[in-house]
Coordinates of all heavy atoms in Angstrom, one line a residue:
M173 N 13.4 72.6 20.6 CA 12.7 73.8 20.0 C 13.7 74.7 19.4 O 13.3 75.5 18.6 CB 11.8 74.5 21.1 CG 10.7 73.6 21.5 SD 9.6 73.1 20.3 CE 8.7 74.5 19.9
D174 N 14.9 74.7 19.9 CA 15.9 75.6 19.4 C 16.2 75.3 17.9 O 16.6 76.2 17.2 CB 17.2 75.6 20.2 CG 17.0 76.1 21.6 OD1 16.1 77.0 21.8 OD2 17.7 75.6 22.5
L175 N 16.1 74.1 17.5 CA 16.4 73.6 16.2 C 15.4 74.3 15.2 O 15.8 74.7 14.1 CB 16.3 72.1 16.0 CG 16.6 71.5 14.7 CD1 18.1 71.8 14.4 CD2 16.3 70.1 14.6
L176 N 14.1 74.4 15.5 CA 13.2 75.0 14.6 C 13.4 76.5 14.5 O 13.1 77.1 13.4 CB 11.7 74.8 15.1 CG 11.2 73.4 15.1 CD1 9.9 73.3 15.7 CD2 11.3 72.9 13.7
Q177 N 14.0 77.1 15.5 CA 14.2 78.6 15.4 C 15.5 78.8 14.5 O 15.7 79.9 14.0 CB 14.4 79.2 16.8 CG 13.1 79.1 17.6 CD 13.4 79.6 19.0 OE1 14.5 79.8 19.5 NE2 12.3 79.7 19.8
M178 N 16.3 77.8 14.3 CA 17.6 78.0 13.6 C 17.3 77.8 12.1 O 18.2 78.1 11.3 CB 18.6 77.0 14.1 CG 19.1 77.4 15.5 SD 20.2 76.2 16.2 CE 21.4 75.8 15.0
I179 N 16.2 77.3 11.7 CA 15.9 77.1 10.2 C 15.6 78.4 9.6 O 14.8 79.2 10.0 CB 14.7 76.1 10.1 CG1 15.0 74.8 10.6 CG2 14.3 76.1 8.6 CD1 13.9 73.8 10.6
D180 N 16.3 78.6 8.5 CA 16.1 79.8 7.7 C 14.8 79.8 6.9 O 14.6 78.8 6.2 CB 17.3 80.0 6.7 CG 17.3 81.3 6.0 OD1 16.5 82.2 6.4 OD2 18.1 81.5 5.0
P181 N 13.9 80.7 7.0 CA 12.7 80.7 6.2 C 12.8 80.6 4.7 O 12.0 80.1 4.0 CB 12.0 82.0 6.6 CG 12.6 82.4 7.9 CD 14.0 81.9 7.9
A182 N 14.0 80.9 4.2 CA 14.2 80.8 2.7 C 14.4 79.4 2.3 O 14.2 79.0 1.2 CB 15.4 81.7 2.4
H183 N 14.8 78.5 3.3 CA 15.1 77.1 3.0 C 13.8 76.2 3.1 O 13.8 75.1 2.8 CB 16.2 76.6 3.9 CG 17.5 77.1 3.6 ND1 18.5 77.2 4.5 CD2 18.0 77.7 2.5 CE1 19.5 77.8 4.0 NE2 19.3 78.1 2.7
L184 N 12.7 76.8 3.6 CA 11.5 76.0 3.8 C 11.0 75.4 2.5 O 10.6 74.2 2.5 CB 10.4 76.8 4.5 CG 10.7 77.1 6.0 CD1 9.6 78.0 6.5 CD2 10.8 75.8 6.8
P185 N 11.0 76.1 1.4 CA 10.5 75.4 0.1 C 11.4 74.3 -0.3 O 10.9 73.2 -0.8 CB 10.6 76.6 -0.9 CG 10.5 77.8 -0.2 CD 11.2 77.5 1.2
F186 N 12.7 74.4 -0.1 CA 13.6 73.3 -0.4 C 13.3 72.1 0.5 O 13.4 70.9 0.0 CB 15.1 73.7 -0.2 CG 15.5 74.8 -1.2 CD1 15.9 76.0 -0.8 CD2 15.4 74.6 -2.6 CE1 16.3 77.0 -1.6 CE2 15.7 75.6 -3.5 CZ 16.2 76.8 -3.0
I187 N 13.0 72.3 1.8 CA 12.7 71.2 2.7 C 11.4 70.5 2.3 O 11.3 69.3 2.3 CB 12.7 71.8 4.1 CG1 14.1 72.2 4.6 CG2 12.1 70.7 5.1 CD1 14.1 72.9 5.9
A188 N 10.4 71.3 1.9 CA 9.1 70.8 1.4 C 9.3 69.9 0.2 O 8.8 68.8 0.1 CB 8.1 71.9 1.2
V189 N 10.1 70.4 -0.8 CA 10.3 69.7 -2.0 C 11.1 68.4 -1.7 O 10.8 67.3 -2.3 CB 11.1 70.6 -3.1 CG1 11.6 69.7 -4.2 CG2 10.1 71.7 -3.5
G190 N 12.1 68.5 -0.8 CA 12.9 67.3 -0.4 C 12.0 66.3 0.2 O 12.1 65.1 -0.1
C191 N 11.1 66.7 1.1 CA 10.2 65.7 1.7 C 9.2 65.1 0.7 O 9.0 63.9 0.7 CB 9.3 66.4 2.8 SG 10.3 66.8 4.3
A192 N 8.7 65.9 -0.3 CA 7.9 65.3 -1.3 C 8.6 64.3 -2.2 O 8.1 63.3 -2.5 CB 7.3 66.5 -2.2
L193 N 9.9 64.7 -2.6 CA 10.7 63.7 -3.4 C 11.0 62.5 -2.6 O 11.0 61.4 -3.2 CB 12.0 64.4 -3.8 CG 11.8 65.5 -4.9 CD1 13.2 66.1 -5.2 CD2 11.2 64.9 -6.2
L194 N 11.2 62.6 -1.3 CA 11.4 61.4 -0.5 C 10.2 60.5 -0.5 O 10.3 59.3 -0.6 CB 11.8 61.8 0.9 CG 12.2 60.7 1.9 CD1 13.4 60.0 1.4 CD2 12.4 61.3 3.3
C195 N 9.0 61.1 -0.4 CA 7.8 60.3 -0.4 C 7.6 59.6 -1.7 O 7.2 58.4 -1.8 CB 6.6 61.2 -0.1 SG 6.5 61.7 1.6
V196 N 7.9 60.3 -2.8 CA 7.8 59.7 -4.2 C 8.8 58.6 -4.3 O 8.5 57.5 -4.9 CB 7.9 60.8 -5.3 CG1 8.1 60.2 -6.6 CG2 6.8 61.8 -5.2
A197 N 10.0 58.8 -3.9 CA 11.0 57.8 -4.0 C 10.6 56.6 -3.2 O 10.8 55.4 -3.6 CB 12.4 58.3 -3.5
L198 N 10.1 56.7 -2.0 CA 9.7 55.6 -1.2 C 8.5 54.8 -1.9 O 8.5 53.6 -1.8 CB 9.2 56.0 0.2 CG 10.4 56.5 1.1 CD1 9.9 57.0 2.5 CD2 11.4 55.4 1.3
L199 N 7.6 55.5 -2.5 CA 6.5 54.9 -3.2 C 7.1 54.1 -4.4 O 6.7 52.9 -4.7 CB 5.5 55.9 -3.7 CG 4.5 56.4 -2.7 CD1 3.6 57.5 -3.2 CD2 3.6 55.2 -2.2
A200 N 8.0 54.7 -5.1 CA 8.6 54.0 -6.3 C 9.4 52.8 -5.8 O 9.3 51.7 -6.5 CB 9.6 55.0 -7.0
I201 N 10.1 52.9 -4.7 CA 10.9 51.7 -4.2 C 9.9 50.6 -3.8 O 10.1 49.4 -4.1 CB 11.8 52.1 -3.0 CG1 12.9 53.0 -3.6 CG2 12.3 50.9 -2.3 CD1 13.8 53.6 -2.5
G202 N 8.8 51.0 -3.2 CA 7.8 50.0 -2.8 C 7.2 49.3 -4.0 O 7.1 48.0 -4.0
F203 N 6.9 50.0 -5.1 CA 6.4 49.4 -6.3 C 7.4 48.5 -7.0 O 7.1 47.4 -7.5 CB 5.9 50.4 -7.3 CG 4.6 51.0 -6.9 CD1 4.5 52.4 -6.9 CD2 3.5 50.2 -6.7 CE1 3.3 53.0 -6.5 CE2 2.3 50.8 -6.3 CZ 2.2 52.2 -6.2
V204 N 8.7 48.9 -7.0 CA 9.7 48.1 -7.6 C 10.0 46.9 -6.8 O 10.1 45.8 -7.4 CB 11.0 49.0 -7.8 CG1 12.2 48.1 -8.1 CG2 10.8 50.1 -8.8
L205 N 10.0 47.0 -5.5 CA 10.2 45.8 -4.7 C 9.0 44.8 -4.9 O 9.2 43.6 -4.9 CB 10.4 46.2 -3.3 CG 11.7 46.8 -2.9 CD1 11.8 47.2 -1.4 CD2 12.9 45.8 -3.2
Q206 N 7.8 45.3 -5.0 CA 6.7 44.4 -5.2 C 6.8 43.7 -6.5 O 6.5 42.5 -6.6 CB 5.4 45.2 -5.1 CG 4.2 44.4 -4.8 CD 3.0 45.3 -4.5 OE1 3.0 46.5 -4.8 NE2 2.0 44.7 -3.9
A207 N 7.1 44.4 -7.6 CA 7.3 43.8 -8.9 C 8.4 42.8 -8.9 O 8.3 41.7 -9.4 CB 7.5 44.8 -10.0
L208 N 9.5 43.1 -8.3 CA 10.7 42.2 -8.2 C 10.3 41.0 -7.4 O 10.7 39.9 -7.7 CB 11.8 43.0 -7.5 CG 13.2 42.3 -7.5 CD1 13.7 42.0 -8.9 CD2 14.2 43.1 -6.8
S209 N 9.5 41.1 -6.3 CA 9.1 40.0 -5.6 C 8.2 39.0 -6.4 O 8.3 37.8 -6.3 CB 8.3 40.5 -4.4 OG 7.7 39.4 -3.7
G210 N 7.4 39.6 -7.3 CA 6.6 38.8 -8.2 C 7.4 38.0 -9.1 O 7.2 36.8 -9.4
V211 N 8.5 38.6 -9.7 CA 9.4 37.9 -10.6 C 10.1 36.8 -9.9 O 10.3 35.7 -10.4 CB 10.3 39.0 -11.3 CG1 11.4 38.3 -12.1 CG2 9.5 39.9 -12.2
I212 N 10.6 37.1 -8.7 CA 11.4 36.1 -7.9 C 10.4 34.9 -7.6 O 10.9 33.8 -7.6 CB 12.0 36.8 -6.7 CG1 13.1 37.7 -7.1 CG2 12.5 35.7 -5.7 CD1 13.7 38.5 -6.0
D213 N 9.2 35.2 -7.2 CA 8.2 34.1 -6.9 C 8.0 33.3 -8.2 O 7.9 32.0 -8.1 CB 6.9 34.7 -6.5 CG 6.9 35.1 -5.0 OD1 7.8 34.7 -4.3 OD2 6.0 35.9 -4.6
L214 N 7.9 33.9 -9.3 CA 7.7 33.1 -10.6 C 8.9 32.2 -10.8 O 8.8 31.0 -11.1 CB 7.5 34.1 -11.7 CG 7.4 33.4 -13.1 CD1 6.0 32.7 -13.2 CD2 7.4 34.5 -14.2
L215 N 10.1 32.8 -10.7 CA 11.4 32.0 -10.9 C 11.5 30.8 -9.9 O 11.9 29.7 -10.3 CB 12.6 32.9 -10.9 CG 12.7 33.9 -12.1 CD1 13.9 34.8 -11.9 CD2 12.8 33.2 -13.4
L216 N 11.2 31.1 -8.7 CA 11.3 30.1 -7.7 C 10.2 29.0 -7.9 O 10.4 27.8 -7.6 CB 11.2 30.7 -6.3 CG 12.4 31.5 -5.8 CD1 12.1 32.1 -4.4 CD2 13.6 30.6 -5.8
G217 N 9.0 29.4 -8.4 CA 8.0 28.4 -8.7 C 8.4 27.5 -9.8 O 8.2 26.3 -9.7
I218 N 9.1 28.0 -10.8 CA 9.6 27.2 -11.9 C 10.7 26.3 -11.4 O 10.7 25.1 -11.7 CB 10.1 28.1 -13.1 CG1 8.9 28.8 -13.7 CG2 10.9 27.3 -14.1 CD1 9.3 29.9 -14.7
L219 N 11.6 26.8 -10.6 CA 12.7 26.0 -10.0 C 12.1 24.9 -9.1 O 12.6 23.8 -9.1 CB 13.6 26.9 -9.3 CG 14.8 26.2 -8.6 CD1 15.7 25.6 -9.7 CD2 15.6 27.1 -7.7
G220 N 11.1 25.3 -8.3 CA 10.4 24.3 -7.5 C 9.8 23.1 -8.3 O 9.9 22.0 -7.9
A221 N 9.1 23.5 -9.4 CA 8.5 22.5 -10.2 C 9.6 21.5 -10.8 O 9.4 20.3 -10.9 CB 7.7 23.1 -11.3
F222 N 10.7 22.1 -11.2 CA 11.8 21.3 -11.8 C 12.4 20.4 -10.7 O 12.7 19.2 -11.0 CB 12.9 22.2 -12.3 CG 14.1 21.5 -12.9 CD1 13.9 20.8 -14.1 CD2 15.3 21.5 -12.3 CE1 15.0 20.1 -14.7 CE2 16.4 20.9 -12.9 CZ 16.2 20.2 -14.1
V223 N 12.6 20.9 -9.5 CA 13.1 20.1 -8.4 C 12.1 19.0 -8.0 O 12.5 17.8 -7.8 CB 13.4 20.9 -7.2 CG1 13.7 20.1 -5.9 CG2 14.6 21.8 -7.5
D224 N 10.8 19.3 -8.1 CA 9.8 18.2 -7.8 C 9.8 17.2 -8.9 O 9.7 16.0 -8.6 CB 8.4 18.9 -7.8 CG 8.1 19.6 -6.5 OD1 8.9 19.4 -5.5 OD2 7.2 20.4 -6.5
L225 N 10.1 17.5 -10.1 CA 10.2 16.6 -11.2 C 11.4 15.7 -11.0 O 11.4 14.5 -11.1 CB 10.3 17.3 -12.5 CG 10.5 16.4 -13.7 CD1 9.2 15.6 -14.0 CD2 10.9 17.2 -15.0
L226 N 12.5 16.3 -10.5 CA 13.8 15.5 -10.3 C 13.6 14.6 -9.1 O 14.2 13.5 -9.1 CB 15.0 16.4 -10.1 CG 15.5 17.2 -11.3 CD1 16.6 18.1 -10.9 CD2 15.9 16.2 -12.4
Q227 N 12.9 15.0 -8.1 CA 12.7 14.2 -6.9 C 11.6 13.2 -7.0 O 11.4 12.4 -6.1 CB 12.5 15.1 -5.7 CG 13.7 15.9 -5.3 CD 13.5 16.8 -4.1 OE1 12.3 17.0 -3.7 NE2 14.5 17.4 -3.6
G228 N 10.8 13.3 -8.0 CA 9.7 12.4 -8.2 C 10.2 10.9 -8.4 O 11.3 10.7 -8.8
G229 N 9.3 10.0 -8.2 CA 9.6 8.6 -8.3 C 9.6 8.2 -9.8 O 9.6 9.0 -10.7
P230 N 9.4 6.9 -10.0 CA 9.4 6.4 -11.4 C 8.2 6.9 -12.2 O 8.2 7.1 -13.4 CB 9.2 4.9 -11.2 CG 9.6 4.6 -9.8 CD 9.4 5.8 -9.0
G231 N 7.1 7.2 -11.5 CA 5.9 7.7 -12.2 C 6.1 9.1 -12.8 O 5.6 9.4 -13.8
A232 N 6.9 9.9 -12.1 CA 7.1 11.3 -12.6 C 8.1 11.2 -13.8 O 8.1 12.1 -14.6 CB 7.7 12.1 -11.5
W233 N 8.9 10.2 -13.8 CA 9.9 10.1 -14.9 C 9.4 9.4 -16.1 O 10.0 9.4 -17.2 CB 11.2 9.3 -14.4 CG 12.1 10.2 -13.6 CD1 12.2 10.2 -12.3 CD2 13.0 11.2 -14.1 NE1 13.1 11.2 -11.9 CE2 13.6 11.7 -13.0 CE3 13.3 11.6 -15.4 CZ2 14.6 12.7 -13.2 CZ3 14.3 12.6 -15.5 CH2 14.9 13.1 -14.4
L234 N 8.2 8.8 -16.0 CA 7.7 8.0 -17.2 C 7.5 8.8 -18.4 O 8.0 8.5 -19.5 CB 6.4 7.3 -16.8 CG 5.9 6.3 -17.8 CD1 6.9 5.2 -18.1 CD2 4.6 5.7 -17.3
G235 N 6.8 9.9 -18.3 CA 6.5 10.8 -19.4 C 7.8 11.3 -20.0 O 8.0 11.4 -21.2
C236 N 8.7 11.7 -19.2 CA 10.0 12.3 -19.6 C 10.8 11.2 -20.3 O 11.4 11.5 -21.4 CB 10.8 12.9 -18.4 SG 12.2 13.8 -18.9
A237 N 10.8 10.0 -19.8 CA 11.6 8.9 -20.4 C 11.0 8.6 -21.7 O 11.8 8.4 -22.7 CB 11.6 7.7 -19.5
L238 N 9.7 8.5 -21.9 CA 9.1 8.3 -23.2 C 9.4 9.3 -24.2 O 9.6 9.0 -25.3 CB 7.6 8.1 -23.0 CG 7.1 6.8 -22.3 CD1 5.6 6.8 -22.1 CD2 7.6 5.6 -23.1
A239 N 9.4 10.6 -23.7 CA 9.8 11.7 -24.6 C 11.2 11.6 -25.1 O 11.5 11.8 -26.3 CB 9.5 13.0 -24.0
I240 N 12.1 11.2 -24.2 CA 13.5 11.1 -24.6 C 13.7 9.9 -25.5 O 14.4 10.0 -26.5 CB 14.4 10.9 -23.3 CG1 14.4 12.3 -22.6 CG2 15.8 10.5 -23.7 CD1 15.1 12.2 -21.2
I241 N 13.0 8.8 -25.3 CA 13.1 7.6 -26.1 C 12.6 8.0 -27.5 O 13.1 7.6 -28.6 CB 12.4 6.4 -25.5 CG1 13.2 5.9 -24.3 CG2 12.2 5.3 -26.5 CD1 12.5 4.9 -23.5
T242 N 11.4 8.7 -27.6 CA 10.8 9.1 -28.9 C 11.8 10.0 -29.6 O 11.9 9.8 -30.9 CB 9.5 9.8 -28.6 OG1 8.6 8.9 -27.8 CG2 8.8 10.1 -29.9
L243 N 12.4 10.9 -29.0 CA 13.3 11.8 -29.7 C 14.6 11.0 -30.2 O 15.1 11.3 -31.3 CB 13.8 12.9 -28.7 CG 12.7 14.0 -28.5 CD1 13.3 15.0 -27.4 CD2 12.4 14.7 -29.7
A244 N 15.0 10.1 -29.4 CA 16.2 9.2 -29.8 C 15.8 8.4 -31.0 O 16.6 8.3 -32.0 CB 16.6 8.4 -28.7
V245 N 14.6 7.8 -31.0 CA 14.2 7.0 -32.2 C 14.1 7.9 -33.4 O 14.5 7.5 -34.5 CB 12.8 6.3 -31.9 CG1 12.2 5.7 -33.1 CG2 13.1 5.2 -30.8
C246 N 13.5 9.1 -33.3 CA 13.4 10.0 -34.4 C 14.7 10.4 -34.9 O 15.0 10.5 -36.1 CB 12.6 11.2 -34.0 SG 10.8 10.9 -33.8
A247 N 15.7 10.7 -34.0 CA 17.0 11.0 -34.4 C 17.7 9.8 -35.1 O 18.4 10.0 -36.1 CB 17.8 11.5 -33.2
G248 N 17.5 8.6 -34.6 CA 18.1 7.4 -35.3 C 17.5 7.2 -36.7 O 18.2 6.9 -37.6
I249 N 16.2 7.4 -36.8 CA 15.6 7.3 -38.2 C 16.1 8.3 -39.1 O 16.4 8.0 -40.3 CB 14.0 7.3 -38.0 CG1 13.5 6.0 -37.3 CG2 13.4 7.4 -39.4 CD1 12.1 6.1 -37.0
A250 N 16.2 9.5 -38.6 CA 16.7 10.6 -39.5 C 18.2 10.3 -39.9 O 18.5 10.5 -41.0 CB 16.6 12.0 -38.7
F251 N 19.0 9.8 -39.0 CA 20.4 9.5 -39.3 C 20.4 8.4 -40.3 O 21.2 8.4 -41.3 CB 21.1 9.1 -38.0 CG 22.5 8.6 -38.3 CD1 23.5 9.6 -38.6 CD2 22.9 7.3 -38.2 CE1 24.8 9.2 -38.9 CE2 24.2 6.9 -38.5 CZ 25.1 7.9 -38.8
L252 N 19.6 7.4 -40.2 CA 19.5 6.3 -41.2 C 19.1 6.8 -42.5 O 19.7 6.4 -43.6 CB 18.6 5.2 -40.7 CG 19.1 4.3 -39.6 CD1 18.0 3.3 -39.2 CD2 20.3 3.5 -40.1
L253 N 18.1 7.6 -42.6 CA 17.6 8.1 -43.9 C 18.7 9.0 -44.6 O 18.7 9.1 -45.8 CB 16.3 8.9 -43.7 CG 15.1 8.0 -43.4 CD1 13.9 8.8 -43.1 CD2 14.9 6.9 -44.4
I254 N 19.4 9.8 -43.8 CA 20.5 10.6 -44.3 C 21.7 9.8 -44.7 O 22.3 10.1 -45.8 CB 20.9 11.7 -43.3 CG1 19.7 12.7 -43.1 CG2 22.1 12.5 -43.7 CD1 19.9 13.7 -42.0
D255 N 22.1 8.9 -43.9 CA 23.3 8.1 -44.2 C 23.1 6.9 -45.0 O 24.1 6.4 -45.6 CB 23.9 7.7 -42.8 CG 25.4 7.3 -43.0 OD1 26.1 7.9 -43.8 OD2 25.7 6.3 -42.4
A256 N 21.9 6.4 -45.1 CA 21.7 5.1 -45.8 C 22.0 5.1 -47.3 O 22.7 4.2 -47.8 CB 20.3 4.6 -45.6
P257 N 21.7 6.1 -48.1 CA 22.0 6.0 -49.5 C 23.5 6.0 -49.8 O 23.9 5.3 -50.7 CB 21.4 7.3 -50.1 CG 20.3 7.7 -49.1 CD 20.8 7.2 -47.8
N258 N 24.3 6.7 -49.0 CA 25.8 6.6 -49.2 C 26.3 5.3 -48.8 O 27.2 4.7 -49.5 CB 26.5 7.7 -48.4 CG 26.1 9.1 -48.9 OD1 25.8 9.3 -50.1 ND2 26.2 10.1 -48.0
S259 N 25.9 4.7 -47.7 CA 26.4 3.5 -47.3 C 25.9 2.3 -48.1 O 26.5 1.3 -48.2 CB 26.2 3.2 -45.8 OG 24.8 3.3 -45.5
C260 N 24.7 2.4 -48.6 CA 24.1 1.4 -49.5 C 24.8 1.2 -50.8 O 24.9 0.1 -51.4 CB 22.6 1.6 -49.7 SG 21.6 1.2 -48.2
T261 N 25.4 2.3 -51.3 CA 26.1 2.2 -52.6 C 27.4 1.5 -52.3 O 27.9 0.7 -53.2 CB 26.4 3.6 -53.2 OG1 27.1 4.4 -52.2 CG2 25.1 4.3 -53.6
A262 N 28.0 1.7 -51.2 CA 29.3 1.0 -50.9 C 29.1 -0.4 -50.4 O 29.9 -1.3 -50.8 CB 30.1 1.8 -49.8
H263 N 28.1 -0.7 -49.6 CA 27.8 -2.0 -49.0 C 26.3 -2.3 -49.2 O 25.6 -2.2 -48.2 CB 28.2 -2.1 -47.6 CG 29.6 -1.6 -47.3 ND1 30.7 -2.3 -47.6 CD2 30.1 -0.5 -46.7 CE1 31.8 -1.7 -47.3 NE2 31.5 -0.5 -46.7
P264 N 25.9 -2.9 -50.3 CA 24.5 -3.2 -50.4 C 24.1 -4.4 -49.6 O 24.8 -5.4 -49.5 CB 24.3 -3.5 -51.9 CG 25.7 -3.8 -52.4 CD 26.7 -3.1 -51.5
T265 N 23.0 -4.2 -48.8 CA 22.5 -5.3 -48.0 C 21.0 -5.4 -48.2 O 20.4 -4.7 -49.0 CB 22.8 -5.0 -46.5 OG1 22.1 -3.7 -46.2 CG2 24.3 -4.8 -46.2
N266 N 20.4 -6.4 -47.5 CA 19.0 -6.6 -47.6 C 18.2 -5.4 -47.0 O 17.1 -5.0 -47.5 CB 18.5 -7.8 -46.9 CG 18.8 -9.1 -47.7 OD1 19.0 -9.0 -48.9 ND2 19.0 -10.2 -47.0
F267 N 18.8 -4.7 -46.0 CA 18.2 -3.5 -45.5 C 18.0 -2.5 -46.6 O 17.0 -1.8 -46.7 CB 19.1 -3.0 -44.3 CG 18.7 -1.6 -43.8 CD1 17.6 -1.6 -42.9 CD2 19.3 -0.5 -44.2 CE1 17.2 -0.4 -42.3 CE2 18.9 0.7 -43.7 CZ 17.8 0.8 -42.8
C268 N 19.1 -2.3 -47.4 CA 19.0 -1.3 -48.5 C 17.9 -1.7 -49.5 O 17.2 -0.8 -50.0 CB 20.3 -1.2 -49.1 SG 21.7 -0.6 -48.0
R269 N 17.8 -3.0 -49.7 CA 16.8 -3.4 -50.7 C 15.4 -3.3 -50.1 O 14.4 -2.9 -50.9 CB 17.1 -4.9 -51.1 CG 16.3 -5.4 -52.3 CD 16.7 -6.8 -52.7 NE 18.2 -7.0 -52.7 CZ 19.0 -6.7 -53.7 NH1 18.5 -6.1 -54.7 NH2 20.3 -7.0 -53.6
W270 N 15.2 -3.5 -48.8 CA 13.8 -3.4 -48.2 C 13.3 -2.0 -48.3 O 12.1 -1.8 -48.5 CB 13.9 -3.8 -46.8 CG 14.1 -5.3 -46.5 CD1 13.9 -6.3 -47.3 CD2 14.7 -5.8 -45.3 NE1 14.3 -7.5 -46.7 CE2 14.8 -7.2 -45.5 CE3 15.1 -5.3 -44.1 CZ2 15.3 -8.0 -44.5 CZ3 15.6 -6.1 -43.1 CH2 15.7 -7.5 -43.3
F271 N 14.2 -1.1 -48.1 CA 13.8 0.3 -48.0 C 14.0 1.1 -49.3 O 13.7 2.3 -49.4 CB 14.5 1.1 -46.9 CG 14.0 0.7 -45.5 CD1 14.8 -0.2 -44.8 CD2 12.8 1.1 -45.0 CE1 14.4 -0.6 -43.5 CE2 12.4 0.6 -43.8 CZ 13.1 -0.2 -43.0
G272 N 14.4 0.4 -50.4 CA 14.4 0.9 -51.7 C 15.6 1.8 -52.0 O 15.6 2.6 -52.9
F273 N 16.7 1.6 -51.3 CA 17.9 2.5 -51.5 C 18.7 1.9 -52.7 O 19.5 2.6 -53.2 CB 18.8 2.6 -50.3 CG 18.1 3.4 -49.2 CD1 17.8 2.8 -48.0 CD2 17.8 4.7 -49.4 CE1 17.2 3.5 -47.0 CE2 17.2 5.5 -48.4 CZ 16.9 4.9 -47.2
I274 N 18.5 0.6 -53.0 CA 19.1 0.1 -54.2 C 18.0 -0.6 -55.0 O 17.1 -1.1 -54.5 CB 20.3 -0.9 -53.9 CG1 19.8 -2.1 -53.0 CG2 21.4 -0.2 -53.2 CD1 20.8 -3.2 -52.8
P275 N 18.2 -0.6 -56.3 CA 17.1 -1.3 -57.2 C 17.1 -2.8 -57.1 O 18.0 -3.5 -56.7 CB 17.4 -0.8 -58.6 CG 18.8 -0.2 -58.5 CD 19.1 0.0 -57.1

């Protein structure tokens, strides 16, 4: 009880404002931590899905493997179409004649 008698009445408004600011800061920290928790849950969910894909058996890899093969075939066709006219002028073959790169 001696502590309360030692408080200067002129400091009471500062103590009240400090307590109010402390409450506001605690509420802000609570909202920030809740939002941060949601973001971390989202990132961990994406990471978990990626790990599940990596740990899956052959069935999980089938769609990914087909997508990679399709992209490789498309890249190969694009490379042939870009490079074929130059190489067909130097080395004409039946391939060049089939696809019309030489008359």
Side-chain angles (χ1 to χ4, degrees):
M173 295 301 284
D174 294 330
L175 182 66
L176 292 178
Q177 293 173 356
M178 293 173 45
I179 295 177
D180 187 12
H183 292 153
L184 288 178
F186 295 121
I187 293 173
V189 169
C191 288
L193 287 177
L194 183 62
C195 289
V196 170
L198 288 177
L199 282 174
I201 289 172
F203 286 126
V204 168
L205 286 178
Q206 198 170 18
L208 189 61
S209 171
V211 170
I212 290 173
D213 281 344
L214 178 69
L215 293 176
L216 287 178
I218 292 170
L219 181 65
F222 181 69
V223 168
D224 286 344
L225 177 69
L226 288 178
Q227 290 179 347
W233 280 100
L234 183 62
C236 189
L238 288 178
I240 290 172
I241 290 170
T242 303
L243 288 174
V245 167
C246 289
I249 290 172
F251 177 73
L252 283 177
L253 291 176
I254 290 171
D255 193 42
N258 293 334
S259 60
C260 283
T261 57
H263 308 288
T265 61
N266 285 336
F267 173 82
C268 298
R269 195 173 315 277
W270 293 336
F271 291 103
F273 292 116
I274 59 172

